[in-house]
Amino acid sequence: MITVKNLSKSFHTLDGDIEVLKGINQEIEKGEKVVVVGPSGSGKSTFLRCLNLLEQPTKGEIWFEGQQINTPKCDIDRHRRKMGMVFQHFNLFPHLTVRQNITLAPVTLKLKAPKDAETQAERLLERVGLADKADAYPGQLSGGQKQRIAIVRALAMEPDVMLFDEPTSALDPEMVGEVLQVMKELADEGMTMVVVTHEMGFAREVATRVLFMSDGQILEEARPDEFFTRPKNPRLKDFLSKVL
Ligand code: ADP
Ligand code: MG
């Protein structure tokens, strides 16, 4: 579904160029749940943002569903609709109700008639246990509720893959579980997922593959049992000794 070839990304800063991604190769198949872990600043968010071209790669190729998407002639908006993204800080529109947040994109892009979009929104809200919040504003919701709405909003576009960037990192501890539960259900339904997280329990339980990113490179990747019980790279061993 997604192929990444020799992906590099540099940022220009006042101190000169910094290379944040240093030649990443990945092949993510339909139905896989890839969990990306690694120290802060190692390039995890940049990697995720390159996958849907929120960041333009400096070098390399990104292929999605059989087409290279980082070329000038590619209509990225068309592909991006098939890639749902959920951020650490929810990014809901504060002046719109939950229902409006969910229906805005499908209706504006004319993918759905307003009535159909609303029916779908209600169905999705029910699925995450928030059917009674359709007319609430984001400001009236808890962090966990906001994040479940953000997931629903992404799902309303009927994506083929969901990208999550530390979706529970901004939440109070008691709200982490309800968001992970929604993600687990999504995984069980067969959604292709790429998840950056510090929740090692989730990685163990849900991942088909775990990637360890350090200093802009993927230093190790394995099935979770292998990854957590028999890490090979010294930097991964060190990382796990701090987070487990
Ligand atoms: P992670 O998500 O693993 O914490 P990031 O991908 O956010 O890491 O960042 C990796 C590195 O790239 C950091 O050193 C960060 O400061 C730098 N970086 C990220 N975005 C930018 C940007 N827009 N301009 C300059 N540097 C950036
Ligand atoms: Mg990050």
Side-chain angles (χ1 to χ4, degrees):
M1 178 168 279
I2 301 176
T3 302
V4 176
K5 292 184 196 169
N6 196 26
L7 167 67
S8 296
K9 174 69 184 174
S10 299
F11 289 109
H12 306 291
T13 70
L14 292 174
D15 305 326
D17 284 5
I18 51 163
E19 195 176 28
V20 171
L21 298 178
K22 303 173 178 171
I24 292 186
N25 292 289
Q26 270 300 307
E27 188 101 20
I28 297 169
E29 314 229 344
K30 191 167 156 45
E32 266 202 288
K33 296 96 185 56
V34 176
V35 171
V36 185
V37 306
S40 175
S42 57
K44 304 180 300 294
S45 295
T46 305
F47 173 59
L48 218 56
R49 293 166 63 81
C50 279
L51 291 183
N52 64 0
L53 300 192
L54 287 178
E55 298 286 359
Q56 192 65 38
T58 311
K59 268 193 294 191
E61 298 176 10
I62 316 268
W63 292 70
F64 177 59
E65 297 184 327
Q67 283 190 295
Q68 188 179 353
I69 57 174
N70 64 323
T71 61
K73 61 177 190 295
C74 167
D75 174 10
I76 182 55
D77 288 333
R78 194 165 63 84
H79 296 287
R80 219 179 254 145
R81 280 173 212 162
K82 290 283 152 198
M83 304 171 140
M85 178 121 183
V86 174
F87 304 89
Q88 188 175 346
H89 292 289
F90 328 127
N91 299 6
L92 296 172
F93 301 111
H95 59 294
L96 299 181
T97 65
V98 163
R99 188 197 315 274
Q100 290 166 334
N101 264 281
I102 298 167
T103 58
L104 181 70
V107 170
T108 309
L109 295 168
K110 298 198 191 325
L111 303 176
K112 280 204 158 64
K115 268 276 158 276
D116 295 340
E118 286 186 19
T119 309
Q120 182 201 34
E122 278 156 28
R123 209 179 53 235
L124 286 167
L125 284 173
E126 216 156 286
R127 209 167 112 182
V128 299
L130 293 172
D132 57 333
K133 300 295 182 194
D135 296 308
Y137 286 87
Q140 301 170 299
L141 304 176
S142 72
Q145 290 172 334
K146 278 189 250 195
Q147 195 59 302
R148 282 184 281 159
I149 301 294
I151 294 172
V152 160
R153 182 178 60 172
L155 290 176
M157 293 294 287
E158 300 179 1
D160 292 339
V161 56
M162 286 282 286
L163 310 175
F164 292 87
D165 192 0
E166 297 199 28
T168 60
S169 293
L171 300 177
D172 291 333
E174 74 270 23
M175 291 171 188
V176 169
E178 67 197 50
V179 171
L180 293 180
Q181 185 54 38
V182 169
M183 293 168 65
K184 275 179 204 162
E185 284 166 16
L186 203 53
D188 287 342
E189 287 161 22
M191 178 63 80
T192 309
M193 295 164 64
V194 185
V195 182
V196 174
T197 186
H198 296 293
E199 295 291 333
M200 298 299 151
F202 178 87
R204 256 181 213 274
E205 202 181 323
V206 177
T208 51
R209 201 146 55 90
V210 189
L211 311 184
F212 175 59
M213 189 171 269
S214 175
D215 196 20
Q217 291 176 304
I218 293 168
L219 294 187
E220 191 152 334
E221 62 173 278
R223 291 161 47 108
D225 46 351
E226 174 104 13
F227 186 93
F228 289 107
T229 56
R230 286 186 294 281
K232 294 178 196 72
N233 190 288
R235 279 205 251 177
L236 173 56
K237 286 183 188 168
D238 179 55
F239 176 76
L240 291 177
S241 76
K242 287 173 185 149
V243 298
L244 288 181

PDB file of all heavy atoms in Angstrom, residues 2-6 24-28 32 34 47 209 211 218 221:
ATOM      1  N   ILE A   2       1.907   1.260   0.859  1.00  0.00           N
ATOM      2  CA  ILE A   2       2.836   2.396   0.887  1.00  0.00           C
ATOM      3  C   ILE A   2       4.258   1.857   0.706  1.00  0.00           C
ATOM      4  O   ILE A   2       4.648   0.903   1.375  1.00  0.00           O
ATOM      5  CB  ILE A   2       2.767   3.164   2.222  1.00  0.00           C
ATOM      6  CG1 ILE A   2       1.354   3.684   2.477  1.00  0.00           C
ATOM      7  CG2 ILE A   2       3.779   4.310   2.248  1.00  0.00           C
ATOM      8  CD1 ILE A   2       1.184   4.369   3.825  1.00  0.00           C
ATOM      9  N   THR A   3       4.985   2.444  -0.208  1.00  0.00           N
ATOM     10  CA  THR A   3       6.399   2.105  -0.373  1.00  0.00           C
ATOM     11  C   THR A   3       7.219   3.377  -0.243  1.00  0.00           C
ATOM     12  O   THR A   3       6.901   4.397  -0.857  1.00  0.00           O
ATOM     13  CB  THR A   3       6.660   1.467  -1.758  1.00  0.00           C
ATOM     14  OG1 THR A   3       5.833   0.304  -1.887  1.00  0.00           O
ATOM     15  CG2 THR A   3       8.113   1.060  -1.907  1.00  0.00           C
ATOM     16  N   VAL A   4       8.239   3.297   0.585  1.00  0.00           N
ATOM     17  CA  VAL A   4       9.126   4.437   0.803  1.00  0.00           C
ATOM     18  C   VAL A   4      10.516   4.009   0.362  1.00  0.00           C
ATOM     19  O   VAL A   4      11.018   2.983   0.825  1.00  0.00           O
ATOM     20  CB  VAL A   4       9.145   4.816   2.303  1.00  0.00           C
ATOM     21  CG1 VAL A   4      10.133   5.933   2.560  1.00  0.00           C
ATOM     22  CG2 VAL A   4       7.747   5.203   2.768  1.00  0.00           C
ATOM     23  N   LYS A   5      11.090   4.774  -0.564  1.00  0.00           N
ATOM     24  CA  LYS A   5      12.413   4.411  -1.077  1.00  0.00           C
ATOM     25  C   LYS A   5      13.410   5.527  -0.799  1.00  0.00           C
ATOM     26  O   LYS A   5      13.215   6.654  -1.276  1.00  0.00           O
ATOM     27  CB  LYS A   5      12.346   4.191  -2.602  1.00  0.00           C
ATOM     28  CG  LYS A   5      11.549   2.963  -3.018  1.00  0.00           C
ATOM     29  CD  LYS A   5      11.636   2.785  -4.534  1.00  0.00           C
ATOM     30  CE  LYS A   5      10.558   1.826  -5.028  1.00  0.00           C
ATOM     31  NZ  LYS A   5      10.447   1.817  -6.491  1.00  0.00           N
ATOM     32  N   ASN A   6      14.412   5.179  -0.037  1.00  0.00           N
ATOM     33  CA  ASN A   6      15.531   6.080   0.206  1.00  0.00           C
ATOM     34  C   ASN A   6      15.093   7.499   0.587  1.00  0.00           C
ATOM     35  O   ASN A   6      15.605   8.498   0.071  1.00  0.00           O
ATOM     36  CB  ASN A   6      16.419   6.112  -1.044  1.00  0.00           C
ATOM     37  CG  ASN A   6      17.778   6.697  -0.743  1.00  0.00           C
ATOM     38  OD1 ASN A   6      18.243   6.645   0.399  1.00  0.00           O
ATOM     39  ND2 ASN A   6      18.395   7.291  -1.739  1.00  0.00           N
ATOM     40  N   ILE A  24      15.372   6.366   4.403  1.00  0.00           N
ATOM     41  CA  ILE A  24      14.471   5.361   4.979  1.00  0.00           C
ATOM     42  C   ILE A  24      13.828   4.538   3.868  1.00  0.00           C
ATOM     43  O   ILE A  24      13.389   5.090   2.846  1.00  0.00           O
ATOM     44  CB  ILE A  24      13.398   6.060   5.833  1.00  0.00           C
ATOM     45  CG1 ILE A  24      14.094   6.649   7.056  1.00  0.00           C
ATOM     46  CG2 ILE A  24      12.263   5.119   6.212  1.00  0.00           C
ATOM     47  CD1 ILE A  24      13.206   7.246   8.055  1.00  0.00           C
ATOM     48  N   ASN A  25      13.815   3.242   4.060  1.00  0.00           N
ATOM     49  CA  ASN A  25      13.145   2.330   3.139  1.00  0.00           C
ATOM     50  C   ASN A  25      12.090   1.556   3.911  1.00  0.00           C
ATOM     51  O   ASN A  25      12.385   1.024   4.973  1.00  0.00           O
ATOM     52  CB  ASN A  25      14.156   1.362   2.509  1.00  0.00           C
ATOM     53  CG  ASN A  25      15.111   2.093   1.589  1.00  0.00           C
ATOM     54  OD1 ASN A  25      14.730   2.545   0.515  1.00  0.00           O
ATOM     55  ND2 ASN A  25      16.360   2.236   2.032  1.00  0.00           N
ATOM     56  N   GLN A  26      10.894   1.527   3.371  1.00  0.00           N
ATOM     57  CA  GLN A  26       9.809   0.809   4.036  1.00  0.00           C
ATOM     58  C   GLN A  26       8.802   0.322   3.020  1.00  0.00           C
ATOM     59  O   GLN A  26       8.594   0.961   1.976  1.00  0.00           O
ATOM     60  CB  GLN A  26       9.069   1.713   5.032  1.00  0.00           C
ATOM     61  CG  GLN A  26       9.634   1.697   6.426  1.00  0.00           C
ATOM     62  CD  GLN A  26       9.617   0.323   7.052  1.00  0.00           C
ATOM     63  OE1 GLN A  26       8.594  -0.339   7.107  1.00  0.00           O
ATOM     64  NE2 GLN A  26      10.778  -0.130   7.506  1.00  0.00           N
ATOM     65  N   GLU A  27       8.173  -0.761   3.370  1.00  0.00           N
ATOM     66  CA  GLU A  27       7.126  -1.331   2.533  1.00  0.00           C
ATOM     67  C   GLU A  27       5.999  -1.662   3.500  1.00  0.00           C
ATOM     68  O   GLU A  27       6.169  -2.500   4.384  1.00  0.00           O
ATOM     69  CB  GLU A  27       7.708  -2.594   1.901  1.00  0.00           C
ATOM     70  CG  GLU A  27       6.901  -3.263   0.862  1.00  0.00           C
ATOM     71  CD  GLU A  27       7.360  -2.953  -0.578  1.00  0.00           C
ATOM     72  OE1 GLU A  27       8.520  -2.532  -0.800  1.00  0.00           O
ATOM     73  OE2 GLU A  27       6.538  -3.159  -1.452  1.00  0.00           O
ATOM     74  N   ILE A  28       4.888  -0.980   3.387  1.00  0.00           N
ATOM     75  CA  ILE A  28       3.776  -1.203   4.314  1.00  0.00           C
ATOM     76  C   ILE A  28       2.616  -1.804   3.537  1.00  0.00           C
ATOM     77  O   ILE A  28       2.109  -1.203   2.584  1.00  0.00           O
ATOM     78  CB  ILE A  28       3.359   0.119   5.006  1.00  0.00           C
ATOM     79  CG1 ILE A  28       4.533   0.642   5.851  1.00  0.00           C
ATOM     80  CG2 ILE A  28       2.121  -0.094   5.875  1.00  0.00           C
ATOM     81  CD1 ILE A  28       4.356   2.053   6.358  1.00  0.00           C
ATOM     82  N   GLU A  32      -1.578  -4.036   7.477  1.00  0.00           N
ATOM     83  CA  GLU A  32      -0.520  -4.010   8.499  1.00  0.00           C
ATOM     84  C   GLU A  32      -0.787  -2.927   9.535  1.00  0.00           C
ATOM     85  O   GLU A  32      -1.402  -1.902   9.232  1.00  0.00           O
ATOM     86  CB  GLU A  32       0.833  -3.717   7.837  1.00  0.00           C
ATOM     87  CG  GLU A  32       1.623  -4.959   7.475  1.00  0.00           C
ATOM     88  CD  GLU A  32       3.105  -4.632   7.336  1.00  0.00           C
ATOM     89  OE1 GLU A  32       3.469  -3.975   6.346  1.00  0.00           O
ATOM     90  OE2 GLU A  32       3.876  -5.019   8.222  1.00  0.00           O
ATOM     91  N   VAL A  34       1.699  -0.865  11.672  1.00  0.00           N
ATOM     92  CA  VAL A  34       3.106  -0.570  11.917  1.00  0.00           C
ATOM     93  C   VAL A  34       3.201   0.450  13.041  1.00  0.00           C
ATOM     94  O   VAL A  34       2.608   1.527  12.951  1.00  0.00           O
ATOM     95  CB  VAL A  34       3.781  -0.023  10.645  1.00  0.00           C
ATOM     96  CG1 VAL A  34       5.219   0.384  10.927  1.00  0.00           C
ATOM     97  CG2 VAL A  34       3.724  -1.066   9.526  1.00  0.00           C
ATOM     98  N   PHE A  47       8.738  11.647   9.569  1.00  0.00           N
ATOM     99  CA  PHE A  47       8.500  10.469   8.728  1.00  0.00           C
ATOM    100  C   PHE A  47       7.016  10.346   8.398  1.00  0.00           C
ATOM    101  O   PHE A  47       6.626  10.213   7.229  1.00  0.00           O
ATOM    102  CB  PHE A  47       9.004   9.214   9.454  1.00  0.00           C
ATOM    103  CG  PHE A  47       8.657   7.925   8.759  1.00  0.00           C
ATOM    104  CD1 PHE A  47       9.080   7.690   7.457  1.00  0.00           C
ATOM    105  CD2 PHE A  47       7.899   6.950   9.403  1.00  0.00           C
ATOM    106  CE1 PHE A  47       8.756   6.495   6.806  1.00  0.00           C
ATOM    107  CE2 PHE A  47       7.577   5.761   8.759  1.00  0.00           C
ATOM    108  CZ  PHE A  47       7.998   5.531   7.463  1.00  0.00           C
ATOM    109  N   ARG A 209       4.195  -5.115  13.175  1.00  0.00           N
ATOM    110  CA  ARG A 209       5.622  -4.824  13.038  1.00  0.00           C
ATOM    111  C   ARG A 209       5.930  -3.567  13.832  1.00  0.00           C
ATOM    112  O   ARG A 209       5.144  -2.623  13.822  1.00  0.00           O
ATOM    113  CB  ARG A 209       5.908  -4.566  11.554  1.00  0.00           C
ATOM    114  CG  ARG A 209       7.319  -4.715  11.093  1.00  0.00           C
ATOM    115  CD  ARG A 209       7.306  -5.255   9.648  1.00  0.00           C
ATOM    116  NE  ARG A 209       6.509  -4.439   8.755  1.00  0.00           N
ATOM    117  CZ  ARG A 209       6.982  -3.403   8.052  1.00  0.00           C
ATOM    118  NH1 ARG A 209       8.238  -3.040   8.157  1.00  0.00           N
ATOM    119  NH2 ARG A 209       6.179  -2.735   7.248  1.00  0.00           N
ATOM    120  N   LEU A 211       8.846  -0.577  14.458  1.00  0.00           N
ATOM    121  CA  LEU A 211      10.058   0.056  13.927  1.00  0.00           C
ATOM    122  C   LEU A 211      10.698   0.886  15.027  1.00  0.00           C
ATOM    123  O   LEU A 211       9.998   1.611  15.744  1.00  0.00           O
ATOM    124  CB  LEU A 211       9.732   0.998  12.764  1.00  0.00           C
ATOM    125  CG  LEU A 211       8.845   0.506  11.622  1.00  0.00           C
ATOM    126  CD1 LEU A 211       8.758   1.603  10.554  1.00  0.00           C
ATOM    127  CD2 LEU A 211       9.374  -0.776  11.040  1.00  0.00           C
ATOM    128  N   ILE A 218      15.880   4.008  10.597  1.00  0.00           N
ATOM    129  CA  ILE A 218      15.221   2.876  11.238  1.00  0.00           C
ATOM    130  C   ILE A 218      16.297   1.851  11.551  1.00  0.00           C
ATOM    131  O   ILE A 218      16.859   1.227  10.661  1.00  0.00           O
ATOM    132  CB  ILE A 218      14.110   2.308  10.339  1.00  0.00           C
ATOM    133  CG1 ILE A 218      12.994   3.345  10.236  1.00  0.00           C
ATOM    134  CG2 ILE A 218      13.570   0.996  10.925  1.00  0.00           C
ATOM    135  CD1 ILE A 218      11.972   3.078   9.195  1.00  0.00           C
ATOM    136  N   GLU A 221      13.684  -3.355  13.046  1.00  0.00           N
ATOM    137  CA  GLU A 221      12.261  -3.603  12.877  1.00  0.00           C
ATOM    138  C   GLU A 221      12.011  -5.083  13.035  1.00  0.00           C
ATOM    139  O   GLU A 221      12.810  -5.912  12.604  1.00  0.00           O
ATOM    140  CB  GLU A 221      11.764  -3.100  11.529  1.00  0.00           C
ATOM    141  CG  GLU A 221      12.380  -3.739  10.318  1.00  0.00           C
ATOM    142  CD  GLU A 221      11.683  -3.278   9.039  1.00  0.00           C
ATOM    143  OE1 GLU A 221      10.624  -3.827   8.704  1.00  0.00           O
ATOM    144  OE2 GLU A 221      12.216  -2.359   8.413  1.00  0.00           O
TER     145      GLU A 221
END
